Amino acid sequence: MQRINLGEFEELVLLIAAVLHDNAYGISVLQEIEAQTGRQINISAVHSALDRLEQKGYLKSYLGGATNERGGRRKRLFSVTASGAKALSDVKEMRNTLYDQIPKVTLKLNFV
Amino acid sequence: MTEQHLPEPPGWALKLLHWYCKPRYLEAIEGDLYELFDLRCQSAGEKVARRGFAWDVVRFFRWKYIKGIENSNRLNQFAMWKNYFKISLRSLWRQKFYSAINIAGLSVGIACCLLIIIYIKHDLSYDRFWKDGDRIYRIAINDRGPYTPTRLGSFLKSDYPEVESYTRLNGLYDFSFAIGDNVFSEPGGSLADSTVFEVFDVKFIEGTPQGALSEPNTVVLTKSVADKYFPHETAVGKIIKSSGDAVKITAVVEDPPANSHMPFKYLVAMPHEYWATTGWWTGNNFFTYVKLAEGASEEAFEAKILDFMRKHMAKDLMETYHYDNFDDYLASDDSYRFTLVPIQEIHLNYPRLTLAESAGDMDNVYIFSAVAFFILLIACINFINLSTARSGSRSKEVGIRKVLGSVRGELIRQFMVESFLISIFSLGLAILLSLVALPYFNDLSGKQFQSTDLITVDNMLWLTLLLTAVGIIAGSYPALYLSSFKPVAALKGELKSGKSGSFLRKALVSFQFAISIFLVIATVIVYQQINHMTNQKLGFNVSNTMVIKAGSALKDSGPFFRSKLLENPNIGGVAASTTYPSQFVGDWGYSTVGDVKDNYSLYTMFADSYYLETMGVELAQGRFFSRELASDTASIVLNEAAVRELGWDDPIGQRLERTEGVFTVIGVVKDFNFSSLKRKIGSLAIRYDAEIHKTKWGSAYYLARVKGSYQETVNSIGELWGTIAPEEPFDYDFVDQAFAKLYESEAKFGKIFTVFSALAILIACLGLFAMAAYTLEKRFKEIAIRKVLGASVFSITTLVLSDFTKLILFGSIIAVPLAFYVMDQWLQEFAYRMELGIVVFLIPVLAVTLLAWLTVIYQSFKTATGNPVYALKQE
């Protein structure tokens, strides 16, 4: 399997972007992360992660239409690319494979 | 709804964002921030939202979102600068040989400069570290020396409010300490008044300035001494024995910095109360320091000291010098004045006042500055020469650039960048070089410089300025000259050889050689002069005279020690005296006996009757002291210089008078050098003291003529000393070594001078080497054609050599007269001067010529022996 270059936070942002589907931009991602995980994050971190993911080719971005909100500024909307989708499923698959291999005893001892 | 106040994010934060943020990201970020702002306004209020907005703007200040230079409006400019750098690096790399020589020469030059700068800065920094150092003055007696009367300081302070504090010092002496059963002799001890800490802000580590030296038999150690004797315990409160007295350590202070004119290692309290309260005004025994109050004028105070003398000292002075009226005394040659010497000037300008081992010399500061300047100049000339010479071969590049639309300003910038790149590389290399050379330089200069002294903000600032200047000077000629080319002419190759620069280049090379020859001549003369001094006949046995110091510690066993010494087969004779040649001799005032009293000042020493034979001093007239005649204490022996000064045709039987009695001249000795050869032999009076070991006239020294092995003799005397005076360490010296020490500073000066001259010549040769290579490259075809037409290798080689020889000879025409003038001036300060013969000028010129030939000959020979076919078949 090819090495997938995704940090923990990047993976989270990528997942959220996928969840939000058509409406993934800075604020929505930020709010979704807060809602889903309770993590407090600065908006600049979200932007930075989104830009990094775009650089890696997992996301692509386009400018949305102008609205009266946001001081009239356009949104930069992100959508997951094919390689982004593949990266997500690869990561998930690898997780699952590894998780299935954990002996039951360990889990019982540790988690029950 | 009515018109209401709409919340707005803080304007400055928006401005900041616009200023730094890349336009590509700006809109999306700004939009998100606005959205967040609105959300926060609703949830937490405007205040929080505004704060949050500002904070977010700050958080967006990330590398990724900051505008790069490429986003600046002056895009084209930046690209051009980038291009200048790229082209410069390429052209430096293409001309590796010349770039290497340029950078090597320049960096050696700068490294020398840097080292010389720290040396000079160190010399100039003496005593600058004292708090209020600019208000502390040393009182000196004009041309009589460093010592001043006992009570001068205390009386000045009580008479004049502008004297804030005063102190007296004396030393530096070697004291001996006994700690337990061990006896040590520790140099660097100074007697000091308790007020010393009011004048000098010595930093206390343990103890306090109050009362540290207020009682006799107390001592303040510096940290280095305290650590040496009490390594793991506190020294304060310990009692040590010194010459039988129990001395208490009251405090430990920081060592005075290396750049102090009084590098004491410990301070000893004045031993007697009466030293402070009584004392003759004509007896000068102490160094007096005063600290003037803030705002007090030095000149005004100096003028007041005359009134002071009239008030307190007139009586003593008139009695001593036999004047009835104080004004007569002041008008006479005997009179002296007190002068204030700022302590910060002592090191460089008043070598007689310093307590440190070696004084600095303002002249040396000037000389080394000049040398540093010359070295840098030579390196810069190389740089200029090579860049002008090489510029010719770049005329085509200039032509093409112009055709492609370069304007003159851009070409100038291109060449300037190149020149600055070389400067910057050289600077980096120079700093490395000087760091590597630092330990050697420390050996050479006898100072302890650290790498932190080298790399200081100051120095770097200096160097950057210097390099900017060098870069501009060296770059300006090719930049201005080449950029003025007409593109067509440049492309046709009409300007190929850079001819108009060749006169300038030749002049500069001649100038370089003038400097080199000058430096070599100076070096030769400095060395010859040192040799001349050390080979001077001193008029007594220098080579095998051993000095045993601290003779007064022998007390009553002096004669026994002497007889024991004489039993030693290695010892040929023993004498005792209050001084030994090369050391300081005090000058005492004498007057003639008769109706008209003339006053003279004679260097006075005391000796026993064995002095003459032991030291090998010759008698010119009369007799020396006799141990059979106790009356000889009232006799005096003069040297020939003294007789000349006194103007006596028949000196024997004449009489001289002093406060302690009348002395009859019984003999005259031939002149011998009892002090440095930098001075003429002074007028010397020898007086008789049969028991020098108990002398009250100074220190006691035993002088032994050594016949056999030095080491054996030293060991056996050391043993003998240990049995007679165990509480005093055995300390000795040899007269020849003591004399050599007097010229140490000259020898050091000579060494430093030699090294830097050698480097200067090296840099000059480096430049010559590159110039020769370049010239030959240009004349490659010419030489080939000459060969084809039958010229021999020899004739071609000499052809090339003669071109350069002319330049050197021209340089020497400038250098020799200048060197003669300057070195003649330098020699004036020596009483015993070498002759400035033709040889000291001829040999350096020949040597430099030869060196230059060697530099050029390899390349010219290589070119001359090359096969002309290769040169001619191109194109």
Side-chain angles (χ1 to χ4, degrees):
Chain A
M1 198 172 77
Q2 214 189 328
R3 203 180 108 82
I4 291 161
N5 186 8
L6 262 186
E8 185 266 345
F9 186 63
E10 282 173 13
E11 190 188 340
L12 180 65
V13 171
L14 186 58
L15 279 167
I16 298 279
V19 168
L20 288 168
H21 191 52
D22 269 348
N23 189 32
Y25 71 103
I27 300 296
S28 65
V29 172
L30 177 76
Q31 286 173 332
E32 196 63 23
I33 292 175
E34 276 180 20
Q36 299 265 5
T37 66
R39 278 164 78 162
Q40 290 286 328
I41 301 152
N42 189 280
I43 180 70
S44 62
V46 177
H47 271 254
S48 171
L50 286 169
D51 288 331
R52 256 192 326 256
L53 286 166
E54 187 180 11
Q55 234 167 35
K56 290 175 182 173
Y58 299 145
L59 287 177
K60 62 180 183 221
S61 74
Y62 57 97
L63 287 172
T67 54
N68 277 336
E69 291 161 16
R70 304 169 46 90
R73 269 73 172 180
R74 287 174 294 175
K75 289 173 182 168
R76 188 150 165 237
L77 294 164
F78 290 84
S79 59
V80 181
T81 61
S83 76
K86 183 169 183 301
L88 279 180
S89 72
D90 282 355
V91 168
K92 185 185 173 210
E93 202 175 307
M94 188 186 72
R95 286 249 171 86
N96 287 348
T97 326
L98 286 174
Y99 189 86
D100 292 344
Q101 290 171 31
I102 302 173
K104 294 284 173 287
V105 187
T106 322
L107 285 180
K108 264 181 200 148
L109 279 177
N110 285 333
F111 299 118
V112 178
Chain B
M1 237 195 213
T2 50
E3 192 73 32
Q4 71 175 77
H5 164 76
L6 275 178
E8 274 291 323
W12 65 266
L14 264 177
K15 265 189 200 145
L16 178 68
L17 185 71
H18 277 265
W19 176 70
Y20 74 69
C21 188
K22 276 184 184 164
R24 228 185 108 209
Y25 296 104
L26 183 61
E27 188 172 0
I29 290 177
E30 217 180 339
D32 280 6
L33 289 180
Y34 264 110
E35 203 175 329
L36 264 182
F37 179 73
D38 289 340
L39 288 171
R40 282 185 189 140
C41 271
Q42 284 155 24
S43 64
E46 186 181 348
K47 224 175 172 182
V48 177
R50 281 172 71 91
R51 224 180 297 140
F53 188 93
W55 176 238
D56 285 342
V57 167
V58 173
R59 291 290 301 265
F60 265 108
F61 194 75
R62 295 180 177 215
W63 190 242
K64 185 188 266 171
Y65 300 120
I66 298 171
K67 275 178 194 163
I69 299 166
E70 72 271 12
N71 287 97
S72 112
N73 292 329
R74 306 168 71 185
L75 193 78
N76 189 41
Q77 283 285 3
F78 173 73
M80 280 313 288
W81 281 106
K82 221 166 160 179
N83 178 265
Y84 298 149
F85 273 96
K86 189 176 270 177
I87 298 292
S88 299
L89 282 175
R90 283 179 186 167
S91 97
L92 289 184
W93 187 246
R94 191 157 48 91
Q95 307 170 8
K96 283 181 210 71
F97 174 67
Y98 298 100
S99 309
I101 284 190
N102 256 343
I103 292 175
L106 207 53
S107 53
V108 171
I110 294 168
C112 289
C113 229
L114 192 58
L115 290 175
I116 291 179
I117 284 175
I118 59 168
Y119 182 82
I120 292 173
K121 265 172 77 176
H122 175 80
D123 256 5
L124 291 175
S125 72
Y126 266 72
D127 296 299
R128 304 265 160 196
F129 54 87
W130 297 115
K131 186 166 158 278
D132 305 326
D134 52 340
R135 294 197 273 130
I136 306 175
Y137 297 89
R138 173 86 169 269
I139 298 184
I141 293 185
N142 59 340
D143 66 33
R144 298 237 175 174
Y147 294 94
T148 48
T150 315
R151 290 177 295 169
L152 179 65
S154 57
F155 274 59
L156 279 176
K157 181 162 158 51
S158 57
D159 282 15
Y160 298 102
E162 53 261 61
V163 179
E164 193 179 295
S165 50
Y166 82 98
T167 191
R168 297 171 305 163
L169 293 181
N170 204 337
L172 305 168
Y173 301 117
D174 299 5
F175 283 85
S176 53
F177 290 136
I179 297 166
D181 292 335
N182 300 319
V183 183
F184 306 95
S185 174
E186 187 64 35
S190 173
L191 293 174
D193 277 328
S194 60
T195 50
V196 65
F197 308 115
E198 289 170 26
V199 179
F200 297 104
D201 66 319
V202 177
K203 314 262 182 320
F204 277 73
I205 296 172
E206 282 181 84
T208 55
Q210 283 76 40
L213 290 175
S214 48
E215 282 165 42
N217 291 331
T218 49
V219 61
V220 170
L221 302 184
T222 55
K223 186 155 190 328
S224 61
V225 175
D227 285 349
K228 185 167 154 195
Y229 294 119
F230 304 97
H232 302 297
E233 50 193 329
T234 167
V236 173
K238 293 271 186 320
I239 306 283
I240 47 182
K241 284 190 89 179
S242 174
S243 322
D245 294 325
V247 177
K248 189 177 168 202
I249 301 168
T250 51
V252 174
V253 297
E254 267 180 29
D255 285 84
N259 51 359
S260 164
H261 82 281
M262 35 179 270
F264 62 87
K265 288 180 144 178
Y266 50 95
L267 296 168
V268 183
M270 292 288 175
H272 305 290
E273 177 61 24
Y274 65 84
W275 279 21
T277 50
T278 55
W280 281 87
W281 284 105
T282 48
N284 300 323
N285 296 305
F286 293 96
F287 309 135
T288 306
Y289 293 83
V290 292
K291 185 194 252 183
L292 294 189
E294 234 161 308
S297 146
E298 177 192 342
E299 289 82 20
F301 180 66
E302 212 170 59
K304 284 183 192 165
I305 301 184
L306 202 60
D307 299 335
F308 177 87
M309 287 176 79
R310 191 181 296 274
K311 186 172 158 200
H312 296 288
M313 299 173 61
K315 191 167 152 281
D316 279 5
L317 284 170
M318 288 186 321
E319 262 175 28
T320 310
Y321 293 100
H322 312 287
Y323 287 94
D324 297 327
N325 185 324
F326 190 57
D327 287 311
D328 287 349
Y329 165 76
L330 284 182
S332 73
D333 292 343
D334 293 319
S335 77
Y336 56 80
R337 309 275 192 284
F338 293 108
T339 50
L340 291 184
V341 176
I343 54 161
Q344 296 174 339
E345 285 178 23
I346 288 178
H347 175 71
L348 283 175
N349 295 326
Y350 299 89
R352 294 227 291 171
L353 298 189
T354 187
L355 277 60
E357 233 171 58
S358 64
D361 188 344
M362 205 60 205
D363 287 344
N364 286 4
V365 169
Y366 290 136
I367 290 172
F368 284 132
S369 312
V371 169
F373 176 72
F374 279 147
I375 289 181
L376 203 65
L377 195 63
I378 290 179
C380 288
I381 289 176
N382 277 351
F383 190 6
I384 295 173
N385 268 352
L386 282 179
S387 37
T388 55
R390 300 293 300 167
S391 67
S393 46
R394 296 185 63 182
S395 61
K396 282 211 170 117
E397 180 196 329
V398 172
I400 298 269
R401 277 171 175 275
K402 281 205 157 181
V403 167
L404 293 179
S406 273
V407 289
R408 194 163 176 206
E410 285 167 356
L411 283 169
I412 290 177
R413 259 169 265 155
Q414 167 71 58
F415 284 107
M416 279 301 190
V417 165
E418 238 165 83
S419 143
F420 272 90
L421 271 183
I422 291 193
S423 316
I424 289 164
F425 286 144
S426 312
L427 178 61
L429 197 59
I431 292 171
L432 280 181
L433 274 179
S434 51
L435 281 176
V436 171
L438 199 62
Y440 305 101
F441 183 68
N442 278 344
D443 275 355
L444 202 64
S445 63
K447 310 246 159 147
Q448 268 92 45
F449 293 118
Q450 308 282 320
S451 50
T452 43
D453 296 322
L454 203 63
I455 299 174
T456 60
V457 179
D458 262 19
N459 286 349
M460 294 305 118
L461 217 64
W462 264 102
L463 284 182
T464 317
L465 272 179
L466 196 86
L467 276 183
T468 318
V470 171
I472 289 174
I473 293 168
S476 58
Y477 178 80
L480 296 176
Y481 172 66
L482 283 176
S483 61
S484 69
F485 282 179
K486 297 267 176 301
V488 176
L491 285 174
K492 270 165 105 180
E494 280 168 16
L495 298 158
K496 212 175 169 187
S497 55
K499 258 200 190 96
S500 72
S502 80
F503 174 74
L504 177 75
R505 283 202 297 278
K506 280 182 181 160
L508 288 176
V509 169
S510 294
F511 184 59
Q512 278 183 317
F513 276 99
I515 297 175
S516 305
I517 291 168
F518 177 86
L519 288 175
V520 179
I521 293 175
T523 314
V524 169
I525 290 177
V526 168
Y527 266 98
Q528 293 255 327
Q529 172 64 21
I530 294 168
N531 269 340
H532 181 75
M533 280 197 297
T534 35
N535 295 337
Q536 232 0 269
K537 285 214 165 44
L538 296 173
F540 65 93
N541 296 321
V542 203
S543 53
N544 47 10
T545 310
M546 179 179 170
V547 181
I548 300 152
K549 296 184 184 175
S552 46
L554 296 168
K555 298 191 181 111
D556 291 331
S557 327
F560 172 69
F561 180 67
R562 199 191 121 76
S563 63
K564 274 290 191 191
L565 281 185
L566 285 170
E567 281 171 24
N568 190 323
N570 284 333
I571 293 175
V574 176
S577 153
T578 51
T579 182
Y580 62 98
S582 79
Q583 296 301 298
F584 174 78
V585 186
D587 50 343
W588 294 20
Y590 290 89
S591 58
T592 50
V593 180
D595 296 334
V596 187
K597 292 183 196 302
D598 290 321
N599 297 302
Y600 294 94
S601 147
L602 304 173
Y603 292 107
T604 302
M605 58 175 271
F606 290 80
D608 64 8
S609 53
Y610 307 98
Y611 189 80
L612 216 58
E613 51 191 281
T614 310
M615 296 301 289
V617 176
E618 285 175 49
L619 200 61
Q621 285 181 56
R623 65 177 181 85
F624 201 65
F625 307 114
S626 161
R627 68 212 69 135
E628 273 84 47
L629 292 172
S631 62
D632 263 355
T633 46
S635 302
I636 195 164
V637 171
L638 302 175
N639 71 351
E640 287 171 320
V643 174
R644 274 195 300 277
E645 190 185 334
L646 291 157
W648 286 334
D649 294 328
D650 182 22
I652 308 296
Q654 300 274 14
R655 287 183 303 165
L656 285 170
E657 192 179 11
R658 241 183 90 78
T659 36
E660 69 262 17
V662 176
F663 305 95
T664 312
V665 178
I666 54 163
V668 176
V669 294
K670 288 196 172 156
D671 282 345
F672 66 100
N673 265 293
F674 54 89
S675 66
S676 170
L677 284 171
K678 284 186 225 169
R679 290 187 285 278
K680 281 253 178 263
I681 295 171
S683 304
L684 178 74
I686 307 174
R687 281 168 51 186
Y688 184 53
D689 189 342
E691 295 183 311
I692 296 280
H693 53 281
K694 289 190 202 161
T695 188
K696 51 183 196 255
W697 306 114
S699 319
Y701 298 99
Y702 280 85
L703 305 156
R705 281 274 301 286
V706 180
K707 291 187 297 190
S709 143
Y710 277 26
Q711 197 51 52
E712 226 173 84
T713 317
V714 168
N715 288 345
S716 60
I717 298 179
E719 263 170 50
L720 175 64
W721 182 275
T723 58
I724 300 175
E727 71 282 2
E728 184 70 29
F730 174 54
D731 194 7
Y732 64 94
D733 199 356
F734 285 95
V735 172
D736 47 357
Q737 286 170 14
F739 260 99
K741 251 191 203 151
L742 293 178
Y743 312 125
E744 223 169 49
S745 66
E746 271 76 20
K748 209 159 69 185
F749 173 74
K751 264 198 248 160
I752 299 180
F753 205 77
T754 312
V755 169
F756 285 114
S757 309
L759 284 172
I761 295 163
L762 177 83
I763 299 172
C765 282
L766 214 59
L768 188 68
F769 186 70
M771 278 302 288
Y774 174 73
T775 317
L776 289 168
E777 199 183 297
K778 288 280 134 200
R779 296 175 74 176
F780 202 36
K781 279 194 184 144
E782 177 204 325
I783 288 167
I785 291 173
R786 280 175 189 274
K787 260 195 107 173
V788 169
L789 294 179
S792 65
V793 171
F794 177 75
S795 72
I796 292 173
T797 311
T798 46
L799 173 80
V800 178
L801 282 187
S802 69
D803 275 2
F804 286 104
T805 314
K806 270 182 223 151
L807 298 182
I808 296 166
L809 289 182
F810 191 71
S812 61
I813 289 172
I814 306 173
V816 169
L818 196 71
F820 178 80
Y821 175 75
V822 173
M823 294 319 286
D824 198 47
Q825 295 284 315
W826 181 75
L827 284 174
Q828 293 306 317
E829 72 177 89
F830 294 95
Y832 294 84
R833 285 189 283 275
M834 59 176 285
E835 298 277 315
L836 280 179
I838 185 93
V839 181
V840 291
F841 295 101
L842 201 60
I843 287 180
V845 174
L846 288 179
V848 171
T849 313
L850 202 68
L851 201 64
W853 276 353
L854 284 176
T855 313
V856 177
I857 208 160
Y858 163 72
Q859 288 172 330
S860 31
F861 187 73
K862 201 176 78 180
T863 317
T865 49
N867 190 339
V869 170
Y870 297 113
L872 292 174
K873 90 180 169 185
Q874 291 172 352
E875 285 173 31

